[in-house]
Amino acid sequence: MAQMTMDHLVGRIHAINYLYFTEVELNTRGLSYNKPLYITMRCKDCSISKVLINNDSALNVLPKHVLDEMSVDSTHMLRSTMITKAYDGSLMQVVGTIKIELFISPQMFLITLQVMEIHSSYNMLLGRPWIHVADPVSSSLHQCLKYIVNGILVIVKAKETLAMM
């Protein structure tokens, strides 16, 4: 076997446990696409659109008005004294913390969310706390995220929606 073929074969064996994106998966707009990555998920019988995946956020955020519309018992929310800095630099009070079972594609995740009295462009924000637990690889350029469940590759594609929730 030629050295070039052997190196390629070894590279493929090593790459089997890695998640990556290819040019084939690019949006039709290609490299000029510049939108955030929004997905849709489920919570019990409720579908939640405009869930923003954001590596830059240190919190998982749920606006209070979205929690009020969900079929979740908000009495399980723990009060919080946490104050966080918003993207514009202003300080924001966290109303409380709640753990909710959310289904992203076939997988259920128990996600801790910081509930805040905000009106935002998203219905929920999943930041680094969720990313570190779920271990997905996300790409706003490719408009999808990928993760592995029980050895099976799961691809969650972005959903463009005009309406909130």
Side-chain angles (χ1 to χ4, degrees):
M1 188 180 284
Q3 183 63 36
M4 184 78 145
T5 307
M6 182 60 95
D7 289 344
H8 177 73
L9 182 60
V10 170
R12 299 250 326 159
I13 292 169
H14 283 286
I16 202 154
N17 292 320
Y18 293 96
L19 298 176
Y20 55 89
F21 296 91
T22 64
E23 280 188 33
V24 175
E25 296 172 296
L26 274 176
N27 186 293
T28 55
R29 294 186 185 143
L31 297 175
S32 65
Y33 197 78
N34 194 25
K35 290 190 176 183
L37 176 57
Y38 289 108
I39 64 170
T40 298
M41 64 173 54
R42 298 200 58 76
C43 175
K44 297 183 182 178
D45 61 346
C46 179
S47 181
I48 304 167
S49 64
K50 290 207 100 170
V51 177
L52 177 62
I53 307 298
N54 188 335
N55 293 341
D56 294 330
S57 177
L59 302 174
N60 296 321
V61 178
L62 179 63
K64 177 81 167 74
H65 70 93
V66 175
L67 175 64
D68 293 341
E69 293 179 30
M70 294 170 62
S71 55
V72 172
D73 184 1
S74 61
T75 61
H76 294 305
M77 182 172 63
L78 303 173
R79 297 231 180 261
S80 176
T81 58
M82 182 189 303
I83 296 178
T84 186
K85 190 181 281 193
Y87 287 113
D88 65 0
S90 64
L91 297 178
M92 299 287 301
Q93 173 73 41
V94 174
V95 175
T97 301
I98 191 165
K99 288 186 179 186
I100 300 176
E101 290 181 347
L102 297 168
F103 290 87
I104 301 173
S105 198
Q107 183 70 22
M108 188 277 289
F109 296 94
L110 182 61
I111 300 175
T112 301
L113 297 148
Q114 272 62 49
V115 179
M116 300 175 70
E117 287 281 357
I118 57 172
H119 290 281
S120 60
S121 62
Y122 54 81
N123 285 327
M124 186 182 296
L125 183 148
L126 296 180
R128 287 190 307 269
W130 175 75
I131 291 169
H132 291 174
V133 168
D135 203 24
V137 176
S138 62
S139 172
S140 58
L141 178 62
H142 293 87
Q143 287 293 287
C144 69
L145 64 88
K146 298 178 180 183
Y147 60 93
I148 297 175
V149 177
N150 300 325
I152 298 171
L153 174 65
V154 176
I155 299 173
V156 180
K157 296 191 178 204
K159 304 274 194 223
E160 283 199 35
T161 56
L162 297 176
M164 299 271 285
M165 200 151 138

Short mmCIF file of all heavy atoms in Angstrom, two decimals, residues 36-38 49-52 54 63 65-66 87 118-125 161-165:
data_model
loop_
_atom_site.label_atom_id
_atom_site.label_comp_id
_atom_site.label_asym_id
_atom_site.label_seq_id
_atom_site.Cartn_x
_atom_site.Cartn_y
_atom_site.Cartn_z
N PRO A 36 -27.65 34.59 12.69
CA PRO A 36 -27.42 33.73 13.86
C PRO A 36 -28.08 32.37 13.68
O PRO A 36 -28.93 32.20 12.80
CB PRO A 36 -28.09 34.51 15.00
CG PRO A 36 -29.04 35.44 14.34
CD PRO A 36 -28.53 35.71 12.96
N LEU A 37 -27.68 31.42 14.49
CA LEU A 37 -28.21 30.06 14.41
C LEU A 37 -29.39 29.91 15.36
O LEU A 37 -29.23 29.94 16.58
CB LEU A 37 -27.12 29.05 14.76
CG LEU A 37 -27.53 27.58 14.82
CD1 LEU A 37 -28.16 27.12 13.50
CD2 LEU A 37 -26.34 26.70 15.17
N TYR A 38 -30.59 29.80 14.79
CA TYR A 38 -31.81 29.56 15.55
C TYR A 38 -32.30 28.15 15.23
O TYR A 38 -32.36 27.77 14.07
CB TYR A 38 -32.94 30.53 15.16
CG TYR A 38 -32.75 31.95 15.59
CD1 TYR A 38 -32.44 32.94 14.66
CD2 TYR A 38 -32.91 32.32 16.92
CE1 TYR A 38 -32.28 34.27 15.05
CE2 TYR A 38 -32.76 33.63 17.32
CZ TYR A 38 -32.45 34.60 16.38
OH TYR A 38 -32.31 35.90 16.77
N SER A 49 -39.79 27.90 19.01
CA SER A 49 -38.97 28.32 17.88
C SER A 49 -38.03 29.45 18.34
O SER A 49 -38.12 29.93 19.47
CB SER A 49 -39.85 28.80 16.73
OG SER A 49 -40.58 29.94 17.13
N LYS A 50 -37.15 29.84 17.47
CA LYS A 50 -36.20 30.93 17.71
C LYS A 50 -35.36 30.68 18.97
O LYS A 50 -35.24 31.54 19.84
CB LYS A 50 -36.89 32.27 17.77
CG LYS A 50 -37.41 32.68 16.39
CD LYS A 50 -37.50 34.15 16.25
CE LYS A 50 -36.30 34.62 15.49
NZ LYS A 50 -36.35 35.98 15.08
N VAL A 51 -34.80 29.47 19.07
CA VAL A 51 -33.87 29.15 20.15
C VAL A 51 -32.49 29.45 19.61
O VAL A 51 -32.01 28.81 18.67
CB VAL A 51 -33.99 27.67 20.58
CG1 VAL A 51 -32.96 27.34 21.64
CG2 VAL A 51 -35.39 27.38 21.07
N LEU A 52 -31.86 30.46 20.19
CA LEU A 52 -30.56 30.92 19.72
C LEU A 52 -29.44 30.09 20.33
O LEU A 52 -29.38 29.92 21.55
CB LEU A 52 -30.37 32.40 20.09
CG LEU A 52 -29.03 33.04 19.72
CD1 LEU A 52 -28.81 33.05 18.22
CD2 LEU A 52 -28.98 34.47 20.27
N ASN A 54 -25.61 30.11 21.09
CA ASN A 54 -24.62 31.18 21.17
C ASN A 54 -23.44 30.78 22.05
O ASN A 54 -23.57 30.72 23.28
CB ASN A 54 -25.28 32.45 21.70
CG ASN A 54 -24.38 33.65 21.63
OD1 ASN A 54 -23.16 33.53 21.63
ND2 ASN A 54 -24.98 34.81 21.58
N PRO A 63 -36.54 34.15 28.55
CA PRO A 63 -37.34 35.31 28.90
C PRO A 63 -38.57 34.90 29.70
O PRO A 63 -39.20 33.86 29.41
CB PRO A 63 -37.72 35.91 27.55
CG PRO A 63 -36.65 35.43 26.62
CD PRO A 63 -36.32 34.04 27.10
N HIS A 65 -41.62 36.03 29.82
CA HIS A 65 -42.88 35.94 29.07
C HIS A 65 -42.97 34.62 28.28
O HIS A 65 -44.06 34.12 28.06
CB HIS A 65 -43.07 37.15 28.16
CG HIS A 65 -42.13 37.22 26.99
ND1 HIS A 65 -42.44 36.70 25.76
CD2 HIS A 65 -40.88 37.73 26.87
CE1 HIS A 65 -41.43 36.89 24.93
NE2 HIS A 65 -40.47 37.51 25.58
N VAL A 66 -41.83 34.05 27.89
CA VAL A 66 -41.84 32.75 27.21
C VAL A 66 -42.15 31.64 28.21
O VAL A 66 -42.94 30.74 27.93
CB VAL A 66 -40.50 32.49 26.49
CG1 VAL A 66 -40.47 31.09 25.87
CG2 VAL A 66 -40.25 33.56 25.42
N TYR A 87 -25.72 42.21 26.61
CA TYR A 87 -24.83 42.47 25.49
C TYR A 87 -24.52 43.95 25.32
O TYR A 87 -23.45 44.32 24.85
CB TYR A 87 -25.43 41.92 24.19
CG TYR A 87 -25.37 40.42 24.12
CD1 TYR A 87 -26.52 39.66 24.15
CD2 TYR A 87 -24.15 39.76 24.04
CE1 TYR A 87 -26.47 38.28 24.10
CE2 TYR A 87 -24.08 38.38 23.99
CZ TYR A 87 -25.24 37.65 24.02
OH TYR A 87 -25.18 36.28 23.98
N ILE A 118 -36.91 40.10 30.06
CA ILE A 118 -36.36 40.75 28.88
C ILE A 118 -37.25 40.46 27.69
O ILE A 118 -37.99 39.49 27.66
CB ILE A 118 -34.93 40.27 28.56
CG1 ILE A 118 -34.89 38.75 28.37
CG2 ILE A 118 -33.94 40.72 29.61
CD1 ILE A 118 -33.58 38.21 27.86
N HIS A 119 -37.18 41.34 26.71
CA HIS A 119 -37.82 41.12 25.42
C HIS A 119 -36.68 41.10 24.42
O HIS A 119 -35.96 42.09 24.26
CB HIS A 119 -38.85 42.20 25.11
CG HIS A 119 -40.05 42.08 25.99
ND1 HIS A 119 -41.04 41.16 25.76
CD2 HIS A 119 -40.39 42.72 27.12
CE1 HIS A 119 -41.95 41.25 26.71
NE2 HIS A 119 -41.58 42.19 27.56
N SER A 120 -36.50 39.95 23.79
CA SER A 120 -35.33 39.77 22.94
C SER A 120 -35.74 39.23 21.57
O SER A 120 -36.90 38.94 21.32
CB SER A 120 -34.38 38.79 23.62
OG SER A 120 -35.04 37.55 23.80
N SER A 121 -34.75 39.06 20.71
CA SER A 121 -35.00 38.51 19.38
C SER A 121 -35.11 36.99 19.41
O SER A 121 -35.38 36.37 18.39
CB SER A 121 -33.87 38.93 18.43
OG SER A 121 -32.64 38.39 18.90
N TYR A 122 -34.90 36.38 20.58
CA TYR A 122 -34.98 34.93 20.71
C TYR A 122 -36.01 34.55 21.76
O TYR A 122 -36.34 35.35 22.63
CB TYR A 122 -33.62 34.33 21.07
CG TYR A 122 -32.99 34.94 22.30
CD1 TYR A 122 -33.36 34.55 23.57
CD2 TYR A 122 -32.01 35.91 22.19
CE1 TYR A 122 -32.79 35.10 24.70
CE2 TYR A 122 -31.43 36.47 23.31
CZ TYR A 122 -31.82 36.06 24.56
OH TYR A 122 -31.25 36.62 25.69
N ASN A 123 -36.50 33.31 21.70
CA ASN A 123 -37.40 32.78 22.72
C ASN A 123 -36.62 32.07 23.82
O ASN A 123 -37.14 31.86 24.91
CB ASN A 123 -38.41 31.81 22.11
CG ASN A 123 -39.48 32.54 21.34
OD1 ASN A 123 -39.87 33.64 21.69
ND2 ASN A 123 -39.94 31.94 20.26
N MET A 124 -35.41 31.65 23.50
CA MET A 124 -34.53 31.00 24.47
C MET A 124 -33.13 31.12 23.92
O MET A 124 -32.94 31.12 22.70
CB MET A 124 -34.91 29.53 24.64
CG MET A 124 -34.16 28.80 25.73
SD MET A 124 -34.63 27.04 25.83
CE MET A 124 -36.35 27.15 26.28
N LEU A 125 -32.16 31.23 24.81
CA LEU A 125 -30.77 31.27 24.40
C LEU A 125 -30.04 30.12 25.07
O LEU A 125 -30.11 29.98 26.30
CB LEU A 125 -30.14 32.61 24.80
CG LEU A 125 -28.70 32.82 24.38
CD1 LEU A 125 -28.45 34.29 24.10
CD2 LEU A 125 -27.72 32.33 25.42
N THR A 161 -38.07 31.28 11.10
CA THR A 161 -39.45 31.54 11.44
C THR A 161 -39.68 33.04 11.48
O THR A 161 -38.80 33.81 11.82
CB THR A 161 -39.83 30.95 12.81
OG1 THR A 161 -38.93 31.47 13.78
CG2 THR A 161 -39.73 29.45 12.80
N LEU A 162 -40.87 33.44 11.14
CA LEU A 162 -41.21 34.85 11.19
C LEU A 162 -41.84 35.21 12.52
O LEU A 162 -41.70 36.32 13.00
CB LEU A 162 -42.17 35.20 10.05
CG LEU A 162 -41.61 35.00 8.64
CD1 LEU A 162 -42.70 35.28 7.59
CD2 LEU A 162 -40.41 35.90 8.41
N ALA A 163 -42.56 34.27 13.12
CA ALA A 163 -43.25 34.54 14.38
C ALA A 163 -42.45 34.00 15.55
O ALA A 163 -41.71 33.04 15.42
CB ALA A 163 -44.63 33.89 14.35
N MET A 164 -42.61 34.64 16.67
CA MET A 164 -42.00 34.16 17.91
C MET A 164 -42.95 33.15 18.52
O MET A 164 -44.14 33.37 18.59
CB MET A 164 -41.78 35.31 18.89
CG MET A 164 -40.87 36.39 18.39
SD MET A 164 -39.16 36.10 18.77
CE MET A 164 -39.11 36.48 20.48
N MET A 165 -42.42 32.01 18.96
CA MET A 165 -43.11 30.93 19.64
C MET A 165 -44.44 30.69 19.07
O MET A 165 -45.38 30.59 18.89
CB MET A 165 -43.20 31.19 21.12
CG MET A 165 -43.47 29.93 21.88
SD MET A 165 -42.77 30.11 23.46
CE MET A 165 -44.04 29.41 24.44
#
